[in-house]
């Protein structure tokens, strides 16, 4: 059967198949273009809406370009929109998110690196079980820890504070950061650790002098992952924060759903873009390192 | 002393994280499980009363809606995201010139917060000013598209937004899978004169079974935990027409002051997740150890 | 003089599996000990135990007369070269070599002097500023050696250092390692699965199988008097012929009968007075079977054999004949007139024969 089809396709009129090929190619690009439009459309709508006046929004079409570009909505979103009774815009909450994300990412990445290093290269009895337990912990729905965590934060006196949120994000980020580093470090041959031990280096020295310098790709992966997770978090933010400490996602939701005054869609869209911008930038700038780092081995040669 | 420290440093380093996980994951699960067996209302009580919270849960029409919604949302979300992701991956696998740029475009929604996505789609689907009015503006004055505020259809708007957000990620997974298929097998098939579509259906896609499984696990996991998107897009409404278990749990915990219900619904969510994830993780760990 | 390395009743388990059983080895300063055995027999594990990289389950171990059983690797005064070289990928060659000294707080001037000395010795001076990824396999190997040499330790440990090199380079480096051993008068434990490497390098060989020591001896002892069938078969290439035979007392000597498919039983006489059971395995190396007339001596006996195959190998020609149900190889001179399918008169040097028990495989003479 299959033997016959080869000569058949070769004896086909050449021009006809060539035309078919070009048509198929065109169809392919048209399809890919349409899908690209589908993915870009919401971003486009957000952007154009944020630059329109309320009047134009009411009268114009969803996808039309703004007749008159105005940045008023952006200004309001940043520093004037109401998140409830307060009307300070997103700005304070944006900084809250920064204050939460930066330390939480740093701490969970560092701990993940150390944990991954232990699990991959300093195996002791029970290390495997510990790792499995941590791994399963990545997949729990956080709802199941919400209630006791709220009580614990209260007991520790950090309920509704930024340190409290940092703590929560570090704890529940550990599983993934450990997993990332562990998977990366197991590709480093154990002979390297052995050589360093014979050379006289200890646990921390080997980590510092040999593993860390090799870790840039996986640090990038982990930082991107953790930053995206923490910046985009809503559940912990809405559950464990109070009026002054909310992260930007919670504030955005409050602006959009605030019932005071006229519904300012342009402000909503500007606020949504502002809230999404940091992770979007990280993705566009460093996304390819993320993919590369996830798939890359560590040691060449 | 320092000798002891040097020898035990690995354990010392791992210990805090391990203890944290023990307490804050497993201990807390235990706490929630315990409380789900009590009559806790506004404050937790610790006297075990059996399964009354679960009985209340399954008698509650609101939970019933949440579970139904999870079925609808989960099934549609997973199936459509996988089909779309696979289709996009295959299209992108045809030696496209601007593949990098297109991939970036398909994938960027994944970087956004669900709240941002929800906000955007809430505006797009706004019956008065969004797609509906746009199409009406094109002359189709009878066009109606009010799913967002229609209790029977609102859940599908969540599906739409969720697919927009996550299908690019599935595409990336599948694309990596397609690329990892042994090139020699494909060459052998081409030499045998097997048409391209047959190579896909008979050789490449079947060999990607593990990727399908991974994609399924990730999507199922996303579906069960879906919370922010519902809050941002519909707020669970109209009424509680778009409640999912996650929003039900949150409402019980933080606005209704019914800790017993919150705990029992959280436990059900966890059991569902574990029923899906544990066999998968177990087989993965087993395979790695072999 | 105290032995430089003394291993006493060493046991090593991974969980429930016994990897090493009752290992007793002792070497003198200047010895070149080669641990040889098939892959997976526990050679690296033993080396790691000597290095202190693996905790031992039972027994004791001393280096330079000091008990080292529970001492950490850095305090054992050893240096190690690994199969994969294990060069630190982010450090330059110079940093790789001096890392150990740096960790130990050796001052910069000494570090530089040592580095220079070793780099000269190994001829790697032009490479000092490169990274491992910019080196060829052979160069990496040298750097790994340099990292060990610079430490000037009591004991060097080598774990299959040549097995990642191509054949030609392997032979070159083998010679070089041998030279280094002689110039430095170092004490070395060297692991390999390659029996030729073992024979050429060692002053003392330990043959290991399944975590059990099979034989310890000089290369000549191991080669000429293998302790059992495993050693006989493992050491030497082509391998020793191991032929089932029957032994009878015959006056002062022994008569050996070997069945043949192709004809009458082959009967040979061993002049030695041996106490052998009836059924034995006769071991004779290919070079101890020659073409008749090319071998003289007391024990040489000639017999007609049917040639099954002729394999010219340049300097020698190997001839295969069926004896006792085994393909028996004889090593003849290159100009032999042997032809497959023809009869050939072969000379067996019976004074070189080893006998093994059929059940246990242990040596009988
Ligand atoms: N960390 C370990 N855990 C369990 N078994 C091991 C470990 N390391 C090695 N082994 C086992 O010990 C045996 C000997 O291994 P090794 O010493 O590396 O052999 P060799 O170096 O002789 O090839 C092998 O069967 C191997 O599977
Ligand atoms: Mg080995």
């Amino acid at each position: 059967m299959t033997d016959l089809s080869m000569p058949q396709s070769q004896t086909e009129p050449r021009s006809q198949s060539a035309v078919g090929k070009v048509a198929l190619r065109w169809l392919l690009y048209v399809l890919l273009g349409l899908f690209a439009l589908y993915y870009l459309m919401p971003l486009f709508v957000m952007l154009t809406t944020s630059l329109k006046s309320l009047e134009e929004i009411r009268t114009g079409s969803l996808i039309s370009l703004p007749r008159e570009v105005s940045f008023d909505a952006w200004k309001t979103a940043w520093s004037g929109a109401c998140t409830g009774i307060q009307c300070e815009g997103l700005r304070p909450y944006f900084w809250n998110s920064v204050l939460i994300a930066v330390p939480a990412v740093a701490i969970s990445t560092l701990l993940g690196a150390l944990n991954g290093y232990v699990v991959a290269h300093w195996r002791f009895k029970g290390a495997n079980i510990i790792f499995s337990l941590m791994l399963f912990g990545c997949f729990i729905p956080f709802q199941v820890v919400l209630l006791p965590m709220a009580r614990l934060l209260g007991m520790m006196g950090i309920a509704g504070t930024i340190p409290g949120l940092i703590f929560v994000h570090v704890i529940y980020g550990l599983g993934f950061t450990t997993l990332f580093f562990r998977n990366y470090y197991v590709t480093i041959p154990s002979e390297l650790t052995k050589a360093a031990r014979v050379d006289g280096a200890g646990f921390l020295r080997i980590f510092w002098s040999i593993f860390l310098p090799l870790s840039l790709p996986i640090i990038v992966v982990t930082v991107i992952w953790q930053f995206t997770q923490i910046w985009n978090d809503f559940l912990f933010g809405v559950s464990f924060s109070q009026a002054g400490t909310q992260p930007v996602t919670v504030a955005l939701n409050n602006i959009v759903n605030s019932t005071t005054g006229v519904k300012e869609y342009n402000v909503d869209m500007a606020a949504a873009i502002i809230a999404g911008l940091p992770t979007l930038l990280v993705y566009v700038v460093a996304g390819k390192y993320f993919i590369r780092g996830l798939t890359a081995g560590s040691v060449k040669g | 002393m320092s000798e002891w420290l040097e020898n035990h440093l690995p354990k010392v380093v791992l210990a805090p994280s391990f203890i944290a996980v023990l307490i804050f994951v497993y201990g807390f699960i235990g706490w929630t499980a315990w409380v789900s067996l009590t009559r806790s209302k506004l404050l937790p009580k610790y006297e075990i009363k059996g399964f009354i919270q679960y009985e209340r849960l399954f008698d509650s029409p609101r939970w019933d809606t949440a579970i139904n919604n999870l079925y609808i949302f989960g099934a549609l979300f997973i199936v459509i995201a996988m089909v779309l992701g696979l289709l996009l991956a295959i299209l992108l696998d045809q030696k496209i010139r601007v593949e990098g740029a297109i991939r970036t475009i398909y994938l960027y929604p994944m970087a956004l917060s669900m709240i941002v996505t929800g906000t955007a789609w809430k505006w797009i689907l706004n019956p008065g000013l969004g797609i509906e009015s746009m199409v009406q503006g094109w002359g189709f004055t009878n066009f109606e598209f009010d799913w967002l505020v229609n209790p029977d259809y609102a859940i599908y708007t969540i599906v739409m937004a969720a697919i927009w957000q996550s299908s690019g990620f599935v595409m990336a997974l599948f694309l990596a899978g397609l690329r990892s298929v042994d090139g020699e097998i494909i060459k052998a098939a081409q030499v045998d004169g097997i048409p391209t579509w047959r190579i896909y259906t008979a050789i490449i896609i079947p060999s990607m079974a593990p990727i399908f499984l991974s994609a399924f696990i990730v999507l199922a996991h996303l579906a069960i935990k879906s919370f922010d998107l519902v809050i941002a897009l519909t707020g669970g409404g109209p009424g509680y027409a778009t409640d999912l278990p996650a929003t039900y749990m949150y409402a019980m915990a933080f606005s209704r002051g019914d800790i017993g219900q919150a705990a029992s619904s959280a436990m059900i969510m966890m059991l569902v997740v574990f029923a899906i994830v544990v066999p998968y993780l177990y087989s993965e760990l087993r395979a790695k150890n072999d | 003089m105290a032995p430089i390395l003394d291993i006493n009743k060493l046991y090593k388990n991974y969980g429930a599996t016994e990897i090493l059983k009752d290992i007793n080895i002792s070497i003198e300063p200047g010895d070149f000990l080669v641990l040889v055995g098939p892959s997976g027999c526990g050679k690296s594990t033993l080396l790691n135990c000597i290095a202190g990289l693996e905790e031992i389950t039972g027994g004791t171990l001393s280096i330079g007369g000091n008990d080292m059983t529970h001492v950490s690797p850095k305090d054992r005064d050893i240096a190690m070269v690994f199969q994969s070289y294990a060069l630190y990928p982010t450090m330059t060659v110079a940093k790789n070599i001096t890392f150990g000294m740096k960790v130990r707080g050796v001052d910069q001037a000494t570090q530089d002097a040592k580095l220079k000395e070793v780099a000269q010795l190994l001829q790697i001076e032009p490479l000092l500023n490169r990274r491992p990824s910019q080196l060829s396999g052979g160069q990496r190997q040298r750097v790994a050696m340099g990292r060990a040499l610079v430490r000037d330790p009591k004991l060097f440990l080598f774990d299959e250092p040549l097995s990642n090199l191509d054949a030609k380079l392997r032979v070159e480096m083998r010679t070089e390692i041998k030279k280094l051993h002689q110039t430095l008068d170092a004490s070395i434990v060297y692991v390999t699965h390659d029996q030729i490497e073992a024979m050429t390098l060692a002053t003392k060989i330990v043959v290991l199988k399944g975590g059990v020591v099979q034989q310890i001896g000089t290369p000549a002892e191991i080669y000429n008097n293998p302790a059992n069938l495993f050693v006989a078969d493992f050491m030497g290439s082509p391998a020793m012929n191991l032929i089932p035979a029957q032994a009878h007392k015959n006056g002062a000597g022994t008569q050996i009968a070997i069945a043949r498919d192709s004809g009458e039983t082959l009967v040979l006489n061993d002049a030695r007075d041996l106490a052998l059971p009836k059924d034995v395995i006769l071991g004779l190396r290919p070079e101890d079977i020659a073409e008749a007339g090319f071998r003289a001596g007391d024990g040489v006996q000639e017999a007609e054999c049917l040639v099954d195959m002729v394999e010219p190998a340049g300097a020698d020609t190997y001839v295969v004949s069926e004896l006792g149900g085994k393909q028996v190889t004889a090593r003849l001179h290159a100009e032999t007139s042997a032809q497959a399918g023809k009869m050939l008169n072969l000379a067996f040097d019976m004074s070189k024969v080893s006998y093994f028990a059929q059940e246990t495989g242990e040596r009988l003479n």
Side-chain angles (χ1 to χ4, degrees):
Chain A
M1 251 319 278
T2 46
D3 289 300
L4 289 174
S5 62
M6 258 298 265
Q8 250 175 14
S9 66
Q10 275 172 349
T11 50
E12 249 174 12
R14 220 188 144 70
S15 58
Q16 192 184 329
S17 85
V19 168
K21 254 194 181 149
V22 170
L24 218 60
R25 209 74 198 148
W26 268 98
L27 184 67
L28 182 66
Y29 277 98
V30 167
L31 269 177
L32 286 170
L34 285 177
F35 278 114
L37 281 184
Y38 162 69
Y39 285 107
L40 284 174
M41 187 268 292
L43 192 63
F44 171 80
V45 168
M46 279 161 90
L47 202 60
T48 52
T49 305
S50 75
L51 298 173
K52 291 176 188 172
S53 67
L54 266 186
E55 172 59 26
E56 193 185 336
I57 289 173
R58 251 180 251 113
T59 54
S61 159
L62 184 67
I63 54 162
S64 63
L65 287 169
R67 278 191 300 271
E68 231 176 293
V69 173
S70 146
F71 289 97
D72 292 349
W74 283 74
K75 217 183 285 164
T76 314
W78 181 242
S79 56
C82 299
T83 52
I85 35 171
Q86 269 150 329
C87 296
E88 303 165 282
L90 273 187
R91 184 170 50 191
Y93 306 100
F94 191 93
W95 292 122
N96 283 346
S97 276
V98 172
L99 287 180
I100 295 165
V102 171
V105 169
I107 297 170
S108 60
T109 303
L110 180 68
L111 285 175
L114 281 168
N115 291 342
Y117 170 59
V118 171
V119 176
H121 282 269
W122 295 83
R123 320 202 55 105
F124 49 84
K125 241 200 181 118
N128 241 341
I129 295 172
I130 291 179
F131 176 63
S132 305
L133 283 174
M134 291 183 77
L135 192 57
F136 281 121
C138 295
F139 291 92
I140 56 161
F142 292 134
Q143 278 76 13
V144 83
V145 298
L146 231 42
L147 292 167
M149 186 50 100
R151 291 184 65 76
L152 181 88
L153 291 176
M155 273 167 10
M156 286 166 60
I158 50 173
T161 66
I162 284 178
L165 277 169
I166 294 172
F167 175 77
V168 173
H169 283 301
V170 167
I171 297 285
Y172 296 108
L174 274 181
F176 270 111
T177 57
T178 301
L179 176 68
F180 284 148
F181 279 97
R182 181 257 181 202
N183 284 354
Y184 185 77
Y185 285 158
V186 288
T187 66
I188 296 179
S190 65
E191 288 196 343
L192 216 54
T193 327
K194 289 181 178 168
R197 282 173 67 197
V198 171
D199 262 344
F203 176 86
L204 287 175
R205 183 63 180 254
I206 297 174
F207 179 69
W208 182 256
S209 297
I210 295 166
F211 280 72
L212 264 195
L214 280 173
S215 303
L216 188 65
I218 200 62
I219 291 175
V220 170
V221 167
T222 311
V223 166
I224 292 179
W225 171 269
Q226 278 298 87
F227 179 75
T228 312
Q229 292 295 308
I230 295 172
W231 187 272
N232 289 343
D233 161 70
F234 179 72
L235 182 62
F236 287 147
V238 77
S239 305
F240 302 138
S241 65
Q242 60 194 27
T245 60
Q246 286 149 336
V248 70
T249 48
V250 176
L252 169 64
N253 191 51
N254 288 345
I255 288 177
V256 173
N257 292 315
S258 107
T259 42
T260 37
V262 212
K263 199 85 211 80
E264 294 178 294
Y265 295 107
N266 48 1
V267 173
D268 291 358
M269 291 304 119
I273 297 174
I274 292 171
L277 211 52
T279 48
L280 209 52
L281 276 181
V282 166
Y283 168 71
V284 171
V285 172
K288 63 168 178 280
Y289 300 107
F290 184 78
I291 308 279
R292 208 180 293 163
L294 264 187
T295 51
S298 51
V299 185
K300 283 163 201 83
Chain B
M1 180 59 209
S2 80
E3 184 78 0
W4 181 92
L5 193 64
E6 179 65 38
N7 286 335
H8 291 81
L9 210 48
K11 287 175 210 174
V12 171
V13 163
L14 197 56
S17 301
F18 179 54
I19 292 168
V21 167
L22 271 192
I23 296 174
F24 299 117
V25 175
Y26 296 94
F28 278 13
I29 291 174
W31 190 94
T32 306
W34 183 287
V35 167
S36 77
L37 299 173
T38 67
R39 277 191 195 283
S40 304
K41 257 294 191 199
L42 201 56
L43 287 173
K45 299 189 186 105
Y46 297 103
E47 196 185 336
I48 299 250
K49 289 284 187 195
F51 288 93
I52 39 165
Q53 294 296 352
Y54 293 92
E55 282 161 23
R56 278 181 65 206
L57 193 63
F58 288 109
D59 281 343
S60 149
R62 183 169 176 182
W63 175 255
D64 210 40
T65 313
I67 289 289
N68 265 332
N69 281 338
L70 181 60
Y71 279 137
I72 297 172
F73 170 70
L76 287 175
F77 170 61
I78 293 170
V79 169
I80 299 175
M82 292 244 264
V83 170
L84 188 60
L86 182 61
L87 175 70
L88 293 177
I90 291 177
L91 291 180
L92 263 186
D93 194 31
Q94 309 306 318
K95 303 197 175 65
I96 301 300
R97 214 175 306 154
V98 284
E99 187 196 310
I102 296 183
R103 221 175 34 202
T104 306
I105 290 171
Y106 290 178
L107 205 51
Y108 86 88
M110 199 65 194
L112 293 175
S113 158
M114 288 278 189
I115 299 290
V116 173
T117 301
T119 304
W121 281 87
K122 185 176 184 161
W123 165 238
I124 293 166
L125 297 171
N126 182 311
L129 298 164
I131 291 187
E132 187 185 82
S133 88
M134 178 181 81
V135 176
Q136 283 172 355
W138 290 343
F140 305 94
T141 42
N142 291 328
F143 181 77
E144 255 186 66
F145 190 59
D146 63 348
W147 287 10
L148 194 62
V149 293
N150 184 327
D152 293 334
Y153 289 101
I155 188 70
Y156 300 106
T157 61
I158 295 173
V159 175
M160 288 165 68
I163 286 170
W164 178 81
Q165 167 111 17
S166 306
S167 49
F169 169 71
V170 184
M171 179 270 315
L173 265 186
F174 281 136
L175 194 60
L178 291 174
R179 301 266 153 95
S180 70
V181 174
D182 182 359
E184 299 218 322
I185 299 179
I186 296 171
K187 274 185 206 139
Q190 281 169 340
V191 169
D192 275 350
I194 297 169
T196 309
W197 68 271
R198 285 281 291 159
I199 293 179
Y200 273 106
T201 54
I203 297 169
I204 299 177
I205 292 174
S207 75
M208 293 205 315
I211 308 242
F212 277 90
L213 188 61
S214 303
F216 172 80
I217 299 287
V218 171
L219 292 173
H221 192 241
L222 277 177
I224 295 162
K225 297 214 298 192
S226 278
F227 171 71
D228 348 11
L229 188 60
V230 180
I231 296 291
L233 194 56
T234 64
Y240 49 77
T242 51
D243 247 358
L244 284 178
T247 55
Y248 179 90
M249 185 274 161
Y250 185 81
M252 291 300 147
F254 294 101
S255 38
R256 296 282 284 275
D258 195 338
I259 287 182
Q261 279 296 285
S264 57
S265 55
M267 286 310 292
I268 299 283
M269 286 179 68
M270 201 197 67
L271 291 180
V272 176
V273 169
F274 270 36
I276 293 170
V277 170
V278 169
Y280 170 72
L281 277 185
Y282 184 72
S283 66
E284 284 278 288
L285 285 174
R286 276 276 299 275
K288 278 207 183 111
N289 286 344
D290 283 349
Chain C
M1 218 182 325
I4 193 82
L5 169 70
D6 194 21
I7 300 173
N8 209 341
K9 298 202 178 65
L10 181 146
Y11 283 80
K12 172 70 189 170
N13 299 0
Y14 280 122
T17 19
E18 266 195 341
I19 304 293
L20 297 172
K21 284 159 231 155
D22 195 19
I23 309 280
N24 294 286
I25 297 172
S26 158
I27 65 170
E28 303 303 319
D31 259 346
F32 196 127
L33 178 82
V34 175
L35 288 171
V36 66
S39 143
C41 71
K43 305 179 297 289
S44 298
T45 307
L46 180 52
L47 207 63
N48 284 336
C49 288
I50 297 173
L53 294 165
E54 296 283 358
E55 192 72 25
I56 63 181
T57 314
T60 59
L61 189 153
S62 69
I63 295 172
N66 305 319
D67 180 29
M68 293 283 176
T69 313
H70 299 293
V71 173
S72 79
K74 66 178 194 303
D75 301 321
R76 292 194 179 202
D77 202 4
I78 49 160
M80 193 158 170
V81 177
F82 294 89
Q83 182 170 4
S84 65
Y85 315 135
L87 300 180
Y88 310 127
T90 52
M91 300 183 197
T92 61
V93 167
K95 290 237 171 69
N96 260 282
I97 292 174
T98 54
F99 181 67
M101 289 189 284
K102 198 172 148 209
V103 169
R104 283 158 208 270
V106 174
D107 65 274
Q108 192 65 44
T110 317
Q111 284 188 30
D112 292 344
K114 282 265 190 189
L115 173 64
K116 201 164 159 227
E117 187 189 316
V118 166
Q120 235 163 21
L121 183 68
L122 291 170
Q123 297 158 355
I124 49 174
E125 288 132 312
L127 309 177
L128 289 180
N129 288 320
R130 296 217 202 144
R131 304 228 166 188
S133 57
Q134 299 163 316
L135 302 178
S136 70
Q139 291 170 329
R140 281 178 212 182
Q141 218 284 326
R142 275 166 194 277
V143 175
M145 300 263 299
R147 195 169 60 180
L149 289 177
V150 80
R151 296 267 316 283
D152 216 353
K154 276 212 193 78
L155 185 63
F156 286 95
L157 306 175
F158 289 77
D159 191 354
E160 310 215 14
L162 305 183
S163 64
N164 281 345
L165 300 178
D166 60 49
K168 189 159 174 289
L169 210 50
R170 190 150 61 211
V171 175
E172 275 174 39
M173 282 309 292
R174 198 166 73 198
T175 318
E176 211 156 324
I177 289 177
K178 188 155 183 143
K179 256 194 269 167
L180 272 174
H181 172 238
Q182 280 157 5
T183 25
L184 299 173
D185 199 23
S187 311
I188 297 177
V189 179
Y190 185 107
V191 162
T192 180
H193 65 267
D194 179 350
Q195 48 89 22
I196 297 179
E197 232 169 86
M199 294 297 295
T200 44
L201 288 173
T203 59
K204 194 170 186 178
I205 293 180
V206 174
V207 185
L208 210 59
K209 177 199 168 199
V212 178
V213 172
Q214 305 293 308
Q215 188 172 6
I216 304 184
T218 63
E221 280 165 7
I222 301 263
Y223 192 76
N224 296 324
N225 299 313
N228 58 33
L229 280 177
F230 173 79
V231 179
D233 187 47
F234 189 74
M235 301 299 290
S237 165
M240 183 184 260
N241 296 301
L242 297 166
I243 312 160
Q246 252 134 42
H248 303 280
K249 203 90 189 142
N250 179 19
T254 312
Q255 189 182 62
I256 304 295
I258 301 168
R260 279 196 284 195
D261 288 351
S262 54
E264 63 192 90
T265 304
L266 173 66
V267 178
L268 297 165
N269 281 303
D270 191 327
R272 292 173 290 180
D273 182 15
L274 302 163
L276 297 177
K278 184 161 170 281
D279 291 314
V280 295
I281 305 276
L282 176 149
L284 194 55
R285 296 218 174 261
E287 62 266 31
D288 295 327
I289 310 174
E291 194 165 350
F294 285 85
R295 183 84 165 217
D298 286 348
V300 175
Q301 305 221 341
E302 297 186 1
E304 284 260 299
C305 297
L306 176 66
V307 175
D308 290 331
M309 208 173 8
V310 179
E311 295 175 344
D316 307 302
T317 296
Y318 294 104
V319 163
V320 177
S321 175
E322 183 271 335
L323 287 178
K326 290 281 153 84
Q327 298 288 308
V328 170
T329 305
R331 184 164 163 184
L332 310 189
H333 56 102
E335 289 79 28
T336 178
S337 57
Q339 271 187 310
K342 297 259 170 71
M343 296 303 280
L344 182 70
N345 214 5
L346 289 177
F348 297 84
D349 189 345
M350 295 305 286
S351 65
K352 294 288 181 74
V353 170
S354 300
Y355 296 98
F356 303 98
Q358 241 170 19
E359 285 83 41
T360 60
E362 291 304 313
R363 184 181 186 85
L364 294 167
N365 62 325

